[in-house]
Amino acid sequence: MTTAAGATRRRRSGRAGHAFVAGYLVLLVAFGIVPTVYAIYFAFTDAGGAFAGLSNFGVAAADFRFLPAIGHVALYLVFWLAGLVVFVVGLALLLHRPGMRGVGRTLRFLYYLPGALAGAASVMVWLFVLDPVVSPVGFLLRAAGFETFGQVIAPGNLPVLFAMIAFWTGAGGWIVVMHGALNTISPDILEAARIDGAGAWQTARRIQIPLLRKWIVYMVILAFAGGTQLFVEPQLLSQASVGVAGRDYSPNQLSYDFAFQNDNVNTAAAISVELLVVGLVVAAVFVVRSGFFDAD
Amino acid sequence: MPTDTAPVGTDTRPATVATSRSARRARRPIPNPLAGAVLVLFAVFFVLPVIWLMLAATKTDDQLVHDSPLSFGSWEALRANWDALTGYQGGAILLWLRNSAVYSFVALVITLCVAIPAGYALAVTEFRGRRTLLVATLVVMLMPNATLVVPLFLEVNAVHLIGSMWSVILPYSFYPFGVYLAYIYFSTALPRELLDAAKLDGCSEFAAFRHVALPLAAPVVALVGFFSFVANWTNYFLPYVLLPGSDQFPVQVGLGTLLDNVPQFNPTAGALAVQRPEVALATLVAITPVLLVFLFSQRFLVAGLLAGATKD
């Protein structure tokens, strides 16, 4: 009896399950799977639709803008990720110190606030902040030897500036996450460490940071994946820079340029596929290494 | 506004609590002035540009350059900036805001209708392909969506939907992170006994979802809704590529258009010249909806982030 009832129930549940996921499945296929397949198809064919092997990838790689674009983003990622890890973990630990409750909550909120200015809005704000003429920190810029906007956004400064914009909008959310993770550490462990004579620095280094490791890996991987997609920051900056910054700063801009300026969708698709592979490898590393999805 | 608006450095706890804790406090490390300075410095870094932006909208361009950066201009200047901004291309900014609202809200509704049942099914029902769907969701969720923008353009172009608002709304509606959030929520916070009891009482799977699971899912519906709204409202790349006409732009892309017409940033700006305070005001207007949602949902947002999931 149990088996028959169980089988009926499973079948019923199976049908209902399919009905519940149907809408999502359609969207997943239409806007996840089909564009991916389509990109791969375009990347391996020529303008006439004939198989082209790796030639589109060759064209992309041989383009004089390709290696610099990769280099720009790589350098930006170094600053962005290093800054994120050092400052987010550092600030979360400082905010978690004993006696910080009320003040800590206010500060966490203030740090989180620029998150509302994601997208083009953050770039607009920083265009002003980085212009010595109107900047609220113009005196700092001038002290550092920058008199004009063009000097500030010289190509050599861009990786740091983009990292700063990304940090400004993104760090607050991660500080909140790290704070939550720190809250899950048992007070007994911290108390024991204190009795053993560990100072704040020792406790952080030997207990708190190791216990945050999983979250730090999570943050780095998502920030890396997001960082490879750099587009709106260099795009708007190039519009505002009076020619100082080009429109081919990041691989995504280059892909856009190939598709819409050069009318070469095949090479554009090849660049998209390369970015996709990087994204997937990062996702795979994350799924395998972090144990975040152990729930299933 | 946040309930906790104590100025930096003040202890908001009542004195009685403080004295009862004094014994424990004696063993605590004394507050480190260096740590305090670092925290305040970062608070300035995060907040100063926002304050500046609010003040900039109240000035004339001349005041922006010559007055102290953190001074208030005048209500008249704010009014004049507003008039100039709304006068730009016959109220383009209002049209862009309306577009943003339509795209974000329609996509939000579709996302909720699709993601919540899908997360529920992945969590509590058995069906063929469930595991595959779950793995696919995790992978797509971790893949930054900007990678697919150019391929999406090719796809949408192939089916001749370029220029339709659905070319933006439907990709927005696809939100695997929301499915993942709902999945986590239903698999951890929904007692199975409740569902089993409902089914023993003769509820169909749909009725169990509708009458038992859904009423309990308010927190995750709100959370998915918030993330989806903010992600859609702030998206730039996708509408920039997929929407051909200025009258279809969402406000994010509209800001880029305004930027093109600021003489200080683009000397070739023509007769439509836009002053910098107008751009500051436009940015402020563009972020207001997100800021409002943000402030109202702050408390549960933080709880949601702590539940273990966030995405850039």
Side-chain angles (χ1 to χ4, degrees), chain B residues 35-156:
Chain B
V38 170
L39 289 172
V40 170
L41 204 67
F42 271 94
V44 171
F45 167 76
F46 282 112
V47 175
L48 190 68
V50 182
I51 296 176
W52 180 89
L53 182 70
M54 285 154 64
L55 292 170
T58 68
K59 298 181 194 179
T60 63
D61 197 65
D62 190 53
Q63 284 176 314
L64 198 64
V65 175
H66 293 111
D67 285 11
S68 148
L70 293 178
S71 63
F72 179 81
S74 67
W75 295 109
E76 292 74 42
L78 177 63
R79 174 89 217 173
N81 288 333
W82 174 255
D83 290 341
L85 180 63
T86 49
Y88 175 81
Q89 289 187 3
I93 182 89
L94 301 175
L95 186 61
W96 295 332
L97 282 169
R98 203 206 59 162
N99 290 339
S100 278
V102 170
Y103 302 157
S104 305
F105 278 111
V106 176
L108 169 74
V109 170
I110 302 178
T111 296
L112 289 179
C113 291
V114 159
I116 304 294
Y120 171 81
L122 287 171
V124 306
T125 65
E126 275 301 329
F127 57 92
R128 270 184 53 210
R130 174 179 162 276
R131 254 200 100 76
T132 316
L133 191 59
L134 197 55
V135 172
T137 301
L138 296 183
V139 171
V140 180
M141 177 190 120
L142 292 173
M143 225 166 55
N145 51 14
T147 31
L148 287 179
V149 167
V150 172
L152 264 173
F153 172 83
L154 300 174
E155 181 189 345
V156 170

Side-chain angles (χ1 to χ4, degrees), chain A residues 9-10 12-14 16-21 23-25 27-28 30-32 34-36 38-39 42 80 87 91 94-95 97-103 105-107 109-121 124-129 131 133-137 149 164 167-168 171-177 179-181 191 194 215 218 222-223 225-226 228-229 231-232 235-236 239-242 247 252 255-256 259-260 265 268-269 272 275-276 279-280 283 286-287 292-293 295-296, chain B residues 2-6 8-10 12-13 21 27-32 35 38-40 42-43 45-50 52-53 64-65 69-70 110 114 117-118 120-122 125-128 130-131 133-134 136-144 146-148 150-155 158 170-171 173-174 176 179-180 183-184 196 199 203-206 209 234 236-237 240-241 252 255-256 259-260 264-267 276 279-280 283 287 290-291 294-295 298-299 301-302 305-306 308-312:
Chain A
R9 196 147 117 212
R10 251 201 314 282
R12 211 174 77 172
S13 165
H18 283 131
F20 280 125
V21 297
Y24 171 61
L25 197 62
L27 290 177
L28 175 68
F31 302 108
V34 171
T36 307
Y38 215 53
F42 268 100
W80 158 227
F87 294 124
L91 290 172
L94 287 181
L95 285 174
R97 285 160 69 95
M100 286 295 293
R101 283 173 68 99
V103 181
R105 202 183 323 149
T106 309
L107 286 177
F109 174 74
L110 293 181
Y111 293 178
Y112 195 21
L113 196 62
L117 282 84
M124 305 296 280
V125 171
W126 280 85
L127 289 179
F128 289 117
V129 174
D131 184 346
V133 175
V134 298
S135 171
V137 290
F149 183 57
M164 202 150 76
F167 182 83
W168 186 71
W174 287 114
I175 291 173
V176 172
V177 170
H179 183 84
E191 185 71 25
R194 197 154 42 231
W215 290 96
Y218 180 51
L222 284 190
T228 57
Q229 304 303 309
F231 183 83
V232 60
Q235 190 72 13
L236 287 182
Q239 281 180 30
S241 73
V242 200
R247 294 173 55 94
N252 249 334
S255 171
Y256 175 83
F260 300 101
V265 290
S272 286
L275 288 170
L276 207 59
L280 283 176
F286 178 46
V287 169
F292 236 89
F293 301 125
D296 193 70
Chain B
T3 49
D4 189 341
T5 48
V8 175
T10 20
T12 52
R13 275 171 303 202
R21 287 193 182 171
R27 277 190 284 121
R28 284 181 176 170
I30 5 160
N32 182 340
V38 170
L39 289 172
V40 170
F42 271 94
F45 167 76
F46 282 112
V47 175
L48 190 68
V50 182
W52 180 89
L53 182 70
L64 198 64
V65 175
L70 293 178
I110 302 178
V114 159
Y120 171 81
L122 287 171
T125 65
E126 275 301 329
F127 57 92
R128 270 184 53 210
R130 174 179 162 276
R131 254 200 100 76
L133 191 59
L134 197 55
T137 301
L138 296 183
V139 171
V140 180
M141 177 190 120
L142 292 173
M143 225 166 55
T147 31
L148 287 179
V150 172
L152 264 173
F153 172 83
L154 300 174
E155 181 189 345
L170 290 176
S173 309
F174 170 54
V179 174
Y180 175 69
Y183 161 73
I184 291 290
D196 289 341
K199 282 176 210 160
C203 265
S204 68
E205 290 282 348
F206 290 100
F209 171 69
T234 57
Y236 177 86
F237 196 13
Y240 178 73
V241 169
Q252 295 277 339
L255 287 180
L259 189 61
D260 269 339
Q264 286 86 355
F265 289 130
N266 178 9
R276 285 176 290 187
V279 177
T283 308
I287 64 162
V290 177
L291 206 56
F294 221 70
L295 294 175
Q298 206 217 136
R299 179 172 294 269
L301 201 64
V302 169
L305 284 170
L306 302 188
T310 180
K311 192 180 178 221
D312 283 0

Side-chain angles (χ1 to χ4, degrees), chain A residues 73-191:
Chain A
V73 168
L75 198 58
Y76 154 72
L77 283 171
V78 169
F79 287 112
W80 158 227
L81 296 179
L84 198 64
V85 171
V86 171
F87 294 124
V88 164
V89 174
L91 290 172
L93 285 169
L94 287 181
L95 285 174
H96 202 263
R97 285 160 69 95
M100 286 295 293
R101 283 173 68 99
V103 181
R105 202 183 323 149
T106 309
L107 286 177
R108 280 202 310 281
F109 174 74
L110 293 181
Y111 293 178
Y112 195 21
L113 196 62
L117 282 84
S122 67
V123 188
M124 305 296 280
V125 171
W126 280 85
L127 289 179
F128 289 117
V129 174
L130 296 174
D131 184 346
V133 175
V134 298
S135 171
V137 290
F139 64 97
L140 285 179
L141 293 171
R142 281 189 291 274
F146 300 114
E147 296 296 332
T148 67
F149 183 57
Q151 289 172 344
V152 177
I153 58 160
N157 300 339
L158 291 182
V160 179
L161 298 181
F162 291 149
M164 202 150 76
I165 298 175
F167 182 83
W168 186 71
T169 34
W174 287 114
I175 291 173
V176 172
V177 170
M178 292 298 160
H179 183 84
L182 284 171
N183 275 340
T184 64
I185 298 175
S186 151
D188 296 348
I189 301 178
L190 301 178
E191 185 71 25

Side-chain angles (χ1 to χ4, degrees), chain A residues 188-276:
Chain A
D188 296 348
I189 301 178
L190 301 178
E191 185 71 25
R194 197 154 42 231
I195 291 170
D196 287 349
W201 172 245
Q202 288 259 328
T203 311
R205 202 166 70 91
R206 297 194 190 276
I207 299 171
Q208 290 169 310
I209 293 178
L211 286 172
L212 284 182
R213 202 183 139 271
K214 196 164 107 167
W215 290 96
I216 297 173
V217 172
Y218 180 51
M219 171 175 82
V220 167
I221 289 175
L222 284 190
F224 174 88
T228 57
Q229 304 303 309
L230 198 64
F231 183 83
V232 60
E233 292 89 349
Q235 190 72 13
L236 287 182
L237 192 67
S238 74
Q239 281 180 30
S241 73
V242 200
V244 176
R247 294 173 55 94
D248 45 19
Y249 188 82
S250 75
N252 249 334
Q253 281 181 296
L254 197 56
S255 171
Y256 175 83
D257 244 39
F258 268 115
F260 300 101
Q261 308 294 318
N262 305 5
D263 250 350
N264 182 347
V265 290
N266 301 94
T267 304
I271 296 175
S272 286
V273 167
E274 281 169 345
L275 288 170
L276 207 59

